Amino acid sequence: MAAALSTDPAPANALSVDVEDWFQVGAFETVIARDDWSALEHRVEANTDAVLELFDAGGVKATFFTLGWVAERHPALMRRIAEAGHEVASHGWDHQRVFTMGPAQFRADLSRARAVLEEATGQRICGYRAPSFSIDQRTPWAHQVLAEEGYAYSSSVAPIGHDHYGWADAPRRAYRPVADAELIELPVTTARFLGREVTTGGGFFRLLPGSVVRRAIRDLNEEGHPAIFYFHPWEIDPGQPRVAGAPLRSKLRHYSRLGAMAGKMRALIAGHRWDRTDRVAAAERERLH
């Protein structure tokens, strides 16, 4: 007698947005000074509102990992995100990479960002994503600090090798990075492409064939694991300013296929189950117990 096919739905995947403006990205950190940020054209609010409309049309809820610097200047945007049923989580204060800080400075950065995010949303902030996935082998203390500060989960590890970020030896599935704490780490999902391990979100998503990302998500779901996907509001903004002095590699990474991103996101949203990262983390915590 043939076995009955399972009717269990695929796991819900974590849909997330790293809320930062076009000038705050790691690709431009050597050519745009933080002291100049306030004088530049701010496009993050309009772009994030466009993302909210995209999610509303797709009927999905997501997590918005937001810089404290952005939340301080756009508190009404934070309220709109929360009131729409999405999660607001921390992306740190001003996109400083964790491996450039020590434990005390990291703790202060977390505290400053959380205070502004909680004041703007009226909600407890329990999730964190490191700028440029900068929790890696250089920061053995970072997860301990997050656990001590009461964070329920982190999604700060990219298990790849890359010139800007990455921790190639890190786990590729959810894990508990601190043995005696409830903190869950949700590494971003990777895929194998042309013999290389790459992340499936952000710039790689814009450049990769859609079939590569769909297969990576499908393979994880068939194993009973969620995919962890991310992108940025500026990635659906082909009209953003161009930074003339940036290195060619940085410009290629940042500007390639911006005009295609919204359409690719609509197709991705329609093809899989999605949810907020806090709810995906809670399900993974139960699985790991």
Side-chain angles (χ1 to χ4, degrees):
M1 185 178 187
L5 293 175
S6 172
T7 58
D8 291 342
N13 304 294
L15 180 60
S16 62
V17 188
D18 292 357
V19 183
E20 58 203 46
D21 220 324
W22 61 272
F23 49 79
Q24 296 174 309
V25 301
F28 298 150
E29 64 188 358
T30 62
V31 292
I32 300 178
R34 280 178 169 78
D35 290 346
D36 294 334
W37 284 0
S38 294
L40 298 173
E41 179 187 1
H42 292 191
R43 301 172 70 93
V44 67
E45 184 166 21
N47 288 338
T48 305
D49 278 334
V51 172
L52 286 169
E53 292 175 7
L54 188 153
F55 289 169
D56 185 58
V60 294
K61 301 302 179 185
T63 294
F64 289 71
F65 292 99
T66 305
L67 292 178
W69 192 98
V70 170
E72 184 178 60
R73 288 157 177 79
H74 303 283
L77 173 63
M78 299 300 100
R79 290 191 291 273
R80 290 198 295 278
I81 293 170
E83 289 168 0
H86 303 288
E87 179 193 12
V88 175
S90 176
H91 199 33
W93 179 255
D94 64 352
H95 217 262
Q96 185 171 351
R97 300 178 194 234
V98 178
F99 56 69
T100 68
M101 298 186 256
Q105 188 180 358
F106 179 51
R107 198 183 299 271
D109 185 90
L110 289 173
S111 178
R112 186 182 184 189
R114 180 184 245 171
V116 170
L117 291 165
E118 291 186 344
E119 181 178 3
T121 63
Q123 298 180 353
R124 178 68 173 166
I125 301 301
C126 69
Y128 174 76
R129 173 168 288 153
S132 300
F133 301 105
S134 52
I135 288 181
D136 59 22
Q137 66 274 16
R138 290 168 286 186
T139 59
W141 42 264
H143 282 121
Q144 181 67 46
V145 171
L146 286 167
E148 291 170 359
E149 292 299 311
Y151 284 85
Y153 75 88
S154 162
S155 183
S156 301
V157 170
I160 65 169
H162 190 278
D163 59 335
H164 274 263
Y165 60 87
W167 187 358
D169 296 331
R172 283 167 167 71
R173 308 287 186 270
Y175 66 101
R176 302 169 76 99
V178 181
D180 58 350
E182 290 293 300
L183 179 74
I184 297 292
E185 174 62 43
L186 297 169
V188 291
T189 294
T190 64
R192 196 77 181 167
F193 183 66
L194 299 179
R196 178 185 177 193
E197 199 77 18
V198 298
T199 63
T200 54
F204 283 115
F205 177 69
R206 282 183 278 126
L207 295 171
L208 288 171
S211 59
V212 173
V213 177
R214 291 193 299 271
R215 184 172 64 249
I217 295 173
R218 184 184 66 244
D219 289 349
L220 274 173
N221 291 172
E222 288 178 351
E223 296 172 6
H225 298 286
I228 314 299
F229 181 85
Y230 74 98
F231 71 109
H232 309 84
W234 55 262
E235 290 189 275
I236 62 169
D237 179 16
Q240 65 189 268
R242 266 43 181 179
V243 181
L248 178 60
R249 177 183 290 186
S250 295
K251 289 191 286 188
L252 288 173
R253 287 172 172 167
H254 189 85
Y255 298 120
S256 293
R257 294 183 57 76
L258 294 177
M261 186 63 168
K264 291 192 76 170
M265 282 304 308
R266 282 190 286 269
L268 187 75
I269 287 169
H272 307 277
R273 293 184 65 224
W274 299 102
D275 205 347
R276 296 163 30 147
T277 311
D278 58 344
R279 294 199 279 247
V280 172
E284 288 298 278
R285 184 177 298 106
E286 287 299 312
R287 184 183 63 80
L288 290 169
H289 267 306

